Each structure stands twice: as structure tokens, then as C-alpha cells.
Amino acid sequence: MNRINIGIIGLGTIGAGVVKLIHKNSQVILQKSGIKLNIKKAADIDKRKKEELMLSNTVFTTNANDVISDPEIDIIVELIGGTTKANEFIINGIKAGKHIVTANKALLSQTGNKIFNTAYKYNKFIGFEASVAGGVPILKSIRESLLPNRITKIYGILNGTTNFILTKMEKDNLEFKDALLLAQKLGFAEANPEYDIKGTDSAHKLQILASFAFNTDVKFKDIYFEGIDKITLDDLKYIHSLGYKVKLLSIAKLDLRHKIYECRVHPTMIHTSNPLSTVSQEYNAILIDGDAVGEQIYYGKGAGAFPTASAVVSDIIDIAKKILNNNEKIFDRSFQISDDLTMKKFGDISSRYYLRFKTCDKPGVLAKISGILGKNNISLSSVLQKETGQNIVPIVMLTHISKESDIQRAIKIIDKLDIIKSKTNIIRIEDNM
Ligand code: HSE
């Protein structure tokens, strides 16, 4: 039996899940890997965690440095989240000779290169499967199973909270706020729920996925992202009647011929015939296109204590195996990033669009709106106006493929018209996935 000592920093939802999973399945882990995982130290500022997780006095500490300075710990598991302290603990941990496992997507998407480079310099491993899509083994698939492929497309439902909210709004006619409260209660929303609903969390995850899929240095600051907070129940009803569903989609596409790629996150209409449209509740799904394997879809729970703990523990075991194999020299992406790709400006992307205007019901309104769209190279594929018996009416238009900058310019002009009663809602449509 091989014993590996681990130290955990952060015993929140995921940290507690990791402790429980190791205790619950230690026998299974031992049988499958020959490795006995020993939680040597576990740190949290909340003293109640000691009782809650039945940790002994020698294991539990309120000081993260006790974990970092313990000479017998081989692997540090960072699960406090955030980007300041977590960064400090990871860098200090590497320098103290520890391998690292983390679920910290915000940190990796912003300073991943520095962390990977430091780890490479000190010949340490970083496990980060849990940072994207919780229990779904997507990074491992991209980095190992799909390694010989040129990946050219990623469509991901990467945020469980927003997918849960959209599902509840659709199925139970819940208002956005009530659905968010429910998601928070279930423990998969971010500490700051703005990260979920504004699309930040999905963009963090897309940065990590696209960097490894395209093997390039995707800059988080260049990713366009938008959340689901402007979508109304009315929009969802119109969209259903048109045969579509809305998902908060993280999209990355690589145009190899022109060496240009796009990365964006926004609510997206996908046709109900597309399998991603059926992904509901807190589930995540990722569609990937590799030149050798073709299209594949990965599906599973992308948030929550146990699904995420499963990815964390799997990373621990992977690293433990490498330690026991005498720390073979690490060859990581940070060592050889191809830098001949550039990111397309968001204004240059092309898409079909759903536009929902709120206008007065009077002669000439439709002509005025469609005239401005036409002048800006935007061609309509359908127009929908239902009788409401009121003076203010919604008009929904779907466009043919148009350029984002043309749409932005046209809507800016339209939204200034006195017939327009509130900001026009724009939702992008992906038909050719
Ligand atoms: N808030 C995230 C989500 C947690 O809802 O997907 C998992 O990263």
C-alpha cells in the first residue's frame, strides 16, 4: 500500500465534499489505485468545520500556513476560491515543494500562465480538472484522450446555476430572482452570484477550455461575455414558439485557415432538435469537434459538492501515481504554447439574431425599424407581432446571418427612436453547430 499525505485549504462546499468523499470511498480508491490517501491537515477559518467533518485536533487548523509548511504533505488542495489568498497559497505551496490541486477557475483564467510556469520551474504538477464542468472529465479528455486532434469547436453549457435558473423559469414559470434563490440554496451558485448570472464564471471556464483545446494563450480580458439577467419570461415564450431554447453558451471556434479564433459567452438560442437544448437543471454539457474524432458531447453535473469533489480526488490520485512513479519530468502546455493564433474581435463575429423591440402600436413602426436594419446590411428571416390590445407591443424579429458590428450600430440607432419604449433585447442564434 502506498500512502500519500494531502493537505486541504478551504473546507467550504467542495472542500467538505472532498473530505467526505475520501472518507466514504477510501477503500474503493485503495482497491483501484493501490493508494491510501491520508488527509494530514485541513485548514479553514471557520472552527465549526472541525466538528462538522469530524476532524481531529492534529488534522484541523485555522492557519493555512500549517498546511504549506508541513514537510510530510505531498499535495496541497486549494479550495478557498478567490484570486488573492488562493494565489499566495498556491505559489507558496509550489515553492515549498508541494504539488497542487485546485478548482479555482477565476484564478487560473486570470493568472494561470504564472502558476503553470512556476509549477514547471519547480517540477510540480497542477491538477485543475474540477475548475471546468465539475464532475465532467472534460479537461482530461482534451489534454489526454483527444491530444492528437486539432480541436476547432467548443460549445459549452458550463454554468450549472444559470442552466438551473433558465430551466426553472421555463418549466415552472418562476421569476428569475426566485429561481436564483433556489440555486443558491442547493449550493452550486458562486459566493458572488453575479459571477454566475453575468456570465463571468462561464467566461473563466471558457478561457481554460479554449487555451488547452487550441493550445494558445487566450486572454480572459479579450473574451466577450454577457449573462442571462436580461432574459424575460416573455422572451422564453416567444423563443419556444419559434422552436428554440435559450442556453448560456460558451462558444470557441477556430478558423485554422486564417489562424483566427473566437471566444464568447452569451445567451444563445439553439434549436430544440440540437441535443444541447435538452440539457437542463444544473447539468453541464460540452460539444467538441476534433479533426480525428469528429463531434463528441460530454454531459454531467457541473457543480455541487460531490461531482466537483470527484474531479478533485481524481486529480489527487493522478498526481499521487506520478509521485510514486518518481516524478517523471513534467511536460506541460505552459512549456510550448503556439502563439500564431489571434482572437477575432467580437464586432467581427457573424450570427443570426433574435431582436425583441418594445414599441408603440402605430402606423409606420415596422417600416421604420426594418428600414434601419436594411440600411445596416441586416436581412430579416421572420417577424412576429401578437395582438395584445395594448398600446405598447413587443415585436420579435429573427435575422439572417449578420455581422455583430452591424447589429450593434443598427440597434443603437433604433433604441434612440421615440417609438421604442425600452432597450432592445438581443439574443444570438447558433444554427450550424
Ligand atoms: N457556480 C458554478 C456553477 C459552480 O453554477 O456552475 C461550478 O463551477
Side-chain angles (χ1 to χ4, degrees):
M1 180 179 74
N2 297 298
R3 193 180 170 92
I4 291 286
N5 288 325
I6 65 165
I8 304 174
I9 303 177
L11 297 170
T13 307
I14 306 170
V18 169
V19 173
K20 288 178 192 165
L21 183 61
I22 290 177
H23 286 159
K24 178 175 170 278
N25 282 0
S26 67
Q27 203 50 32
V28 177
I29 294 169
L30 181 62
Q31 277 167 357
K32 288 189 183 176
S33 66
I35 293 167
K36 171 90 183 121
L37 292 181
N38 176 42
I39 304 177
K40 177 92 196 321
K41 287 240 173 299
D44 199 283
I45 46 172
D46 182 352
K47 286 185 180 144
R48 287 171 304 179
K49 298 285 174 184
K50 180 176 161 301
E51 302 289 308
E52 212 177 289
L53 297 168
M54 293 181 290
L55 298 169
S56 70
N57 279 334
T58 48
V59 171
F60 183 77
T61 172
T62 51
N63 184 356
N65 289 319
D66 290 346
V67 180
I68 296 168
S69 62
D70 187 324
E72 291 180 356
I73 286 179
D74 305 294
I75 303 169
I76 291 180
V77 184
E78 179 281 309
L79 296 170
I80 59 166
T83 50
T84 318
K85 281 275 167 202
N87 186 46
E88 189 188 311
F89 294 153
I90 289 178
I91 298 291
N92 289 345
I94 296 170
K95 288 184 178 167
K98 319 294 185 199
H99 302 279
I100 305 289
V101 174
T102 178
N104 197 328
K105 56 253 165 153
L107 181 65
L108 290 179
S109 67
Q110 284 164 39
T111 49
N113 272 350
K114 191 174 156 240
I115 291 171
F116 293 124
N117 287 336
T118 310
Y120 184 73
K121 191 171 147 202
Y122 286 82
N123 206 29
K124 296 293 157 214
F125 293 101
I126 307 282
F128 52 101
E129 182 61 58
S131 63
V132 180
V136 183
I138 187 62
L139 283 164
K140 197 173 236 186
S141 301
I142 289 177
R143 297 171 73 209
E144 296 178 15
S145 317
L146 302 180
L147 189 139
N149 285 260
R150 255 298 186 185
I151 294 172
T152 50
K153 262 197 282 181
I154 301 173
Y155 292 99
I157 297 172
L158 300 179
N159 183 271
T161 302
T162 44
N163 207 46
F164 179 88
I165 291 173
L166 288 171
T167 307
K168 286 286 163 195
M169 286 175 74
E170 274 168 14
K171 293 208 169 129
D172 301 345
N173 269 348
L174 274 194
E175 288 300 340
F176 175 80
K177 282 199 177 112
D178 298 326
L180 171 61
L181 277 178
L182 217 58
Q184 284 173 306
K185 263 193 211 152
L186 292 169
F188 34 77
E190 292 300 300
N192 175 1
E194 295 257 299
Y195 270 34
D196 295 303
I197 60 182
K198 300 267 185 205
T200 322
D201 178 72
S202 299
H204 287 151
K205 292 165 177 168
L206 183 63
Q207 189 282 337
I208 299 170
L209 272 189
S211 297
F212 284 91
F214 300 161
N215 200 39
T216 195
D217 187 12
V218 178
K219 299 270 188 274
F220 175 74
K221 68 173 176 51
D222 295 337
I223 298 180
Y224 173 85
F225 64 91
E226 176 187 314
I228 60 163
D229 48 333
K230 291 186 198 82
I231 294 177
T232 64
L233 268 178
D234 278 347
D235 284 320
L236 293 183
K237 284 176 187 156
Y238 279 116
I239 287 165
H240 285 181
S241 72
L242 292 160
Y244 288 84
K245 281 209 173 187
V246 180
K247 297 287 166 196
L248 183 62
L249 222 57
S250 298
I251 302 171
K253 296 184 203 178
L254 172 62
D255 173 356
L256 263 178
R257 204 156 71 91
H258 300 100
K259 294 194 174 302
I260 195 161
Y261 66 95
E262 53 188 89
C263 270
R264 50 191 163 105
V265 175
H266 46 68
T268 309
M269 281 167 58
I270 46 186
H271 200 266
T272 46
S273 59
N274 187 301
L276 289 187
S277 76
T278 61
V279 177
S280 62
Q281 306 289 2
E282 77 272 29
Y283 281 83
N284 281 190
I286 303 107
L287 184 153
I288 284 199
D289 197 352
D291 58 356
V293 292
E295 286 189 354
Q296 298 190 331
I297 295 182
Y298 298 78
Y299 169 82
K301 282 190 179 158
F306 279 109
T308 314
S310 167
V312 169
V313 178
S314 159
D315 273 350
I316 296 172
I317 305 285
D318 269 358
I319 295 178
K321 284 182 184 163
K322 285 172 183 159
I323 295 172
L324 296 167
N325 219 2
N326 291 329
N327 283 338
E328 68 210 36
K329 179 73 184 163
I330 298 159
F331 184 87
D332 205 291
R333 156 190 165 268
S334 52
F335 191 56
Q336 278 208 338
I337 296 174
S338 88
D339 54 8
D340 60 346
L341 303 177
T342 49
M343 194 193 287
K344 196 183 259 188
K345 287 197 182 75
F346 186 60
D348 290 340
I349 68 133
S350 298
S351 179
R352 289 186 64 219
Y353 293 83
Y354 161 102
L355 307 171
R356 199 244 306 132
F357 306 96
K358 248 189 181 163
T359 75
C360 337
D361 196 0
K362 65 181 194 187
V365 166
L366 259 184
K368 203 155 197 175
I369 294 174
S370 53
I372 294 171
L373 292 173
K375 269 196 199 130
N376 284 282
N377 319 310
I378 298 156
S379 165
L380 296 173
S381 63
S382 64
V383 179
L384 197 71
Q385 182 188 337
K386 285 194 180 142
E387 283 189 21
T388 61
Q390 288 161 6
N391 194 31
I392 310 286
V393 291
I395 299 178
V396 169
M397 294 182 179
L398 299 192
T399 74
H400 287 293
I401 294 272
S402 311
K403 199 174 158 191
E404 178 72 32
S405 54
D406 288 338
I407 290 281
Q408 295 295 347
R409 193 180 331 104
I411 297 302
K412 212 168 167 185
I413 300 168
I414 291 171
D415 277 354
K416 282 188 187 140
L417 301 174
D418 57 2
I419 50 160
I420 295 291
K421 297 303 169 194
S422 69
K423 214 168 171 303
T424 298
N425 219 2
I426 304 172
I427 301 178
R428 294 161 191 91
I429 305 171
E430 281 289 318
D431 276 326
N432 303 313
M433 292 167 64

